[in-house]
Amino acid sequence: MLNVPSQAFPAPGSQQRVASQGRSKVPLKQGRSLMDWIRLTRSGKDLTGLKGRLIDVTEEELKTHNKKDDCWICIRGLVYNVSPYMEYHPGGEDELMRAAGADGTDLFNEVHRWVNYESMLKECLVGRMAMKPAVPKDCHEGKRVLNGMLPKSQVTDTLPKEGPSSPSYDWFQTESSVTIVIYTKQKNINLDSVVVDLQDDILRAEAVIKDHSYLIHIELSHEVQENISVRAIENVGKVDIVLQKRENIPWKCLGHPLGKHDSFIPKKDTGLYYRKCQLISKEDVTHDTRLFCLMLPPSTHLQVPVGQHVYLKLSVTGDFVSVSSPEGNFKVSKLQDVEDLFLLAAGTGFTPMVNVLNYALTSMSSLRKAKLMFFNKTEDDIIWRCQLEKLALKDKRFDVEFVLSAPSSEWNGKQGHVSPALLSEFLQRSSENSRVFLCICGPTPFTDEGIRLLHDLNFSTDEIHGFTA
């Protein structure tokens, strides 16, 4: 367990503060100030020597990095390459070398425990210590303290034979809060990859990493407040979950494990988890389509990733709707460097296209053209027709075409069902060799037929994603 001090630490007049005030500093060379160090960390230079990779560091490996130009130090389970920081350290190089190739946690706590070293050295992070599992101590009779580690035999049982490295977690506390840290061992983790639920002091946190799911499932040892805070530090692949204590007392342990705690399994093998959300409002979109606004519980963090969906369960007469965690295998990375994005939707199959289209027009710098072909029976069935037409006028990169299968006599647009003739005319690239991607969603027969026709038109499987309606 990591017991991190509060912001008031060290207290005035404490031995720690007296010691820190009396600590001698060395004169730094010109161009080696704190601001110079911050500029260096923001320059994009590889300060670890690992080209952005995070690794597990054994004790034996750590010991070999004990020289001034190759100096690794472990602080609270994280390993940093501090060689680039040597000339910027106010305490001098000799002080850093005292912990070269070793665990410097005690030395750090003795000298300046209150310093935000994670922010200062985040670009120097090498990885996490591959610590040997210790025999856990009991929190209560027959139940073990949770410290983010499992005995080796248990770890082996829960890890996939192939796939990303298994995440781990740890926790620390201040007088008023508890922070649980998930080390995903993957860079570019973001908040829509994490779902957190807190109910009756039972914490359930799921991090989706590639095609796998890492779960923390704990009955907390003490009561906490409803509000939670979740943040992701993308460049180091770390997720912080901050809980506020109801009583400002020290916790001896985090809590007790529940089903599938500390497991890391393929996402397809995880079941759906639902939480109750309050229905706030509903409004008509078309004659048979309504828009429902739901409010998540204050103790839930959930963001639906682009191209994914949720399932709903409800009692017909109830004001609450049970909402599942996000599902789907669409990855935003599929849109990287895409120049032409084609969207084919039928009826409510337009739903996933909303987020995909919004992401494309706001976040894809390579995008030249985004085109939507929207199939419906009648004009009255077209969802958000006015908004789509306004968007096409506002953003010249976007075009929309409506196709009706049962139009009125006044309809002057395209009509029919998905066909080679309609698709051949619609799928015109912005340039001969532009990179393309196609998304399709609607009733199963529509999607299956559309994908078959796209293959006939020589689009590859890697260029097509079919959503489940």
Side-chain angles (χ1 to χ4, degrees):
M1 181 186 75
L2 304 179
N3 286 307
V4 172
S6 66
Q7 292 181 349
F9 183 94
S14 70
Q15 289 298 317
Q16 291 93 334
R17 189 174 292 275
V18 171
S20 68
Q21 289 173 345
R23 184 166 65 92
S24 61
K25 294 186 178 182
V26 298
L28 298 175
K29 298 178 182 178
Q30 187 174 0
R32 296 296 185 271
S33 68
L34 174 60
M35 290 308 300
D36 292 317
W37 172 249
I38 292 174
R39 278 191 286 269
L40 177 61
T41 62
R42 294 176 178 174
S43 67
K45 185 176 180 180
D46 179 14
L47 300 183
T48 66
L50 297 176
K51 297 181 179 179
R53 292 184 299 117
L54 294 177
I55 63 174
D56 288 339
V57 182
T58 63
E59 291 183 15
E60 292 74 18
E61 172 74 7
L62 180 63
K63 290 177 183 177
T64 64
H65 299 274
N66 59 359
K67 303 176 182 64
K68 178 180 174 181
D69 60 351
D70 182 22
C71 182
W72 290 9
I73 292 176
C74 174
I75 304 176
R76 298 177 184 165
L78 299 179
V79 179
Y80 299 89
N81 179 357
V82 297
S83 295
Y85 184 58
M86 286 282 180
E87 294 185 349
Y88 297 83
H89 185 232
E93 298 173 3
D94 291 342
E95 186 175 349
L96 286 178
M97 290 303 296
R98 289 171 62 190
D103 190 326
T105 303
D106 291 341
L107 179 62
F108 176 83
N109 288 342
E110 176 187 335
V111 178
H112 38 212
R113 185 180 182 184
W114 55 91
V115 171
N116 187 355
Y117 69 94
E118 284 187 316
S119 175
M120 186 79 70
L121 297 176
K122 64 182 179 180
E123 298 301 330
C124 299
L125 180 65
V126 171
R128 182 173 171 82
M129 285 297 295
M131 301 180 70
K132 298 177 181 178
V135 178
K137 299 178 181 179
D138 289 342
C139 180
H140 293 295
E141 190 72 25
K143 298 202 174 184
R144 67 180 183 85
V145 174
L146 302 178
N147 62 357
M149 299 180 64
L150 284 173
K152 188 174 182 180
S153 60
Q154 289 178 259
V155 173
T156 303
D157 290 341
T158 59
L159 291 184
K161 293 182 179 179
E162 296 181 359
S165 299
S166 176
S168 59
Y169 80 96
D170 214 326
W171 69 284
F172 59 85
Q173 62 181 303
T174 65
E175 183 181 15
S176 60
S177 67
V178 169
T179 299
I180 299 168
V181 184
I182 300 176
Y183 303 98
T184 67
K185 301 179 184 176
Q186 301 287 327
K187 288 205 171 185
N188 301 321
I189 194 78
N190 49 46
L191 286 177
D192 63 11
S193 301
V194 182
V195 179
V196 181
D197 291 280
L198 177 65
Q199 184 176 2
D200 299 326
D201 294 315
I202 292 177
L203 178 75
R204 187 185 188 279
E206 181 181 12
V208 177
I209 301 163
K210 295 185 177 178
D211 296 322
H212 289 73
S213 169
Y214 178 67
L215 181 66
I216 292 177
H217 197 193
I218 301 170
E219 181 182 356
L220 299 172
S221 61
H222 294 76
E223 292 184 352
V224 295
Q225 299 179 33
E226 278 190 332
N227 57 309
I228 63 173
S229 172
V230 182
R231 55 179 180 252
I233 299 87
E234 296 188 22
N235 60 339
V236 296
K238 190 180 73 159
V239 176
D240 291 342
I241 303 168
V242 183
L243 312 175
Q244 301 300 322
K245 298 178 179 178
R246 284 200 180 274
E247 295 182 87
N248 294 342
I249 58 174
W251 291 18
K252 293 182 179 179
C253 67
L254 183 58
H256 306 303
L258 299 174
K260 296 184 180 180
H261 170 69
D262 208 10
S263 63
F264 187 53
I265 59 177
K267 186 70 172 69
K268 62 182 178 62
D269 296 333
T270 62
L272 289 176
Y273 181 82
Y274 289 82
R275 73 279 304 147
K276 285 189 175 180
C277 301
Q278 187 174 3
L279 177 62
I280 301 300
S281 64
K282 57 183 177 180
E283 61 180 273
D284 292 337
V285 178
T286 68
H287 67 97
D288 61 356
T289 306
R290 289 175 177 81
L291 177 65
F292 292 86
C293 181
L294 304 174
M295 182 173 67
L296 287 167
S299 51
T300 290
H301 165 84
L302 184 153
Q303 297 177 186
V304 182
V306 173
Q308 296 194 16
H309 58 276
V310 296
Y311 294 97
L312 306 179
K313 293 193 306 185
L314 71 157
S315 300
V316 175
T317 57
D319 292 329
F320 287 86
V321 179
S322 295
V323 178
S324 77
S325 297
E327 283 286 297
N329 58 1
F330 182 85
K331 304 295 182 185
V332 171
S333 57
K334 294 180 179 180
L335 300 178
Q336 186 173 0
D337 299 327
V338 166
E339 296 167 292
D340 292 329
L341 177 65
F342 298 105
L343 309 175
L344 301 172
T348 54
F350 168 68
T351 307
M353 305 305 179
V354 176
N355 275 345
V356 173
L357 183 58
N358 180 64
Y359 177 83
L361 295 177
T362 58
S363 304
M364 289 173 57
S365 58
S366 60
L367 185 72
R368 295 178 181 174
K369 202 72 178 175
K371 297 178 68 177
L372 169 66
M373 180 170 276
F374 196 180
F375 293 81
N376 287 277
K377 289 184 179 180
T378 69
E379 286 186 75
D380 291 338
D381 295 317
I382 301 174
I383 299 173
W384 287 334
R385 177 181 180 180
C386 181
Q387 290 90 331
L388 288 170
E389 290 175 336
K390 286 182 178 179
L391 179 61
L393 290 173
K394 179 181 177 182
D395 195 320
K396 298 304 180 184
R397 296 172 299 168
F398 175 61
D399 282 333
V400 59
E401 296 181 11
F402 302 110
V403 183
L404 302 182
S405 60
S408 66
S409 57
E410 290 81 19
W411 176 252
N412 295 319
K414 289 184 169 61
Q415 52 185 291
H417 299 275
V418 62
S419 66
L422 283 173
L423 293 184
S424 296
E425 183 181 350
F426 174 69
L427 300 172
Q428 297 295 317
R429 299 172 184 255
S430 59
S431 64
E432 184 177 354
N433 297 313
S434 63
R435 292 180 292 274
V436 302
F437 195 78
L438 304 102
C439 296
I440 182 168
C441 187
T444 301
F446 168 84
T447 302
D448 291 346
E449 177 66 7
I451 291 176
R452 186 186 68 79
L453 292 175
L454 292 175
H455 285 308
D456 290 344
L457 292 170
N458 296 320
F459 290 99
S460 70
T461 300
D462 290 339
E463 295 174 323
I464 303 169
H465 183 85
F467 293 101
T468 302

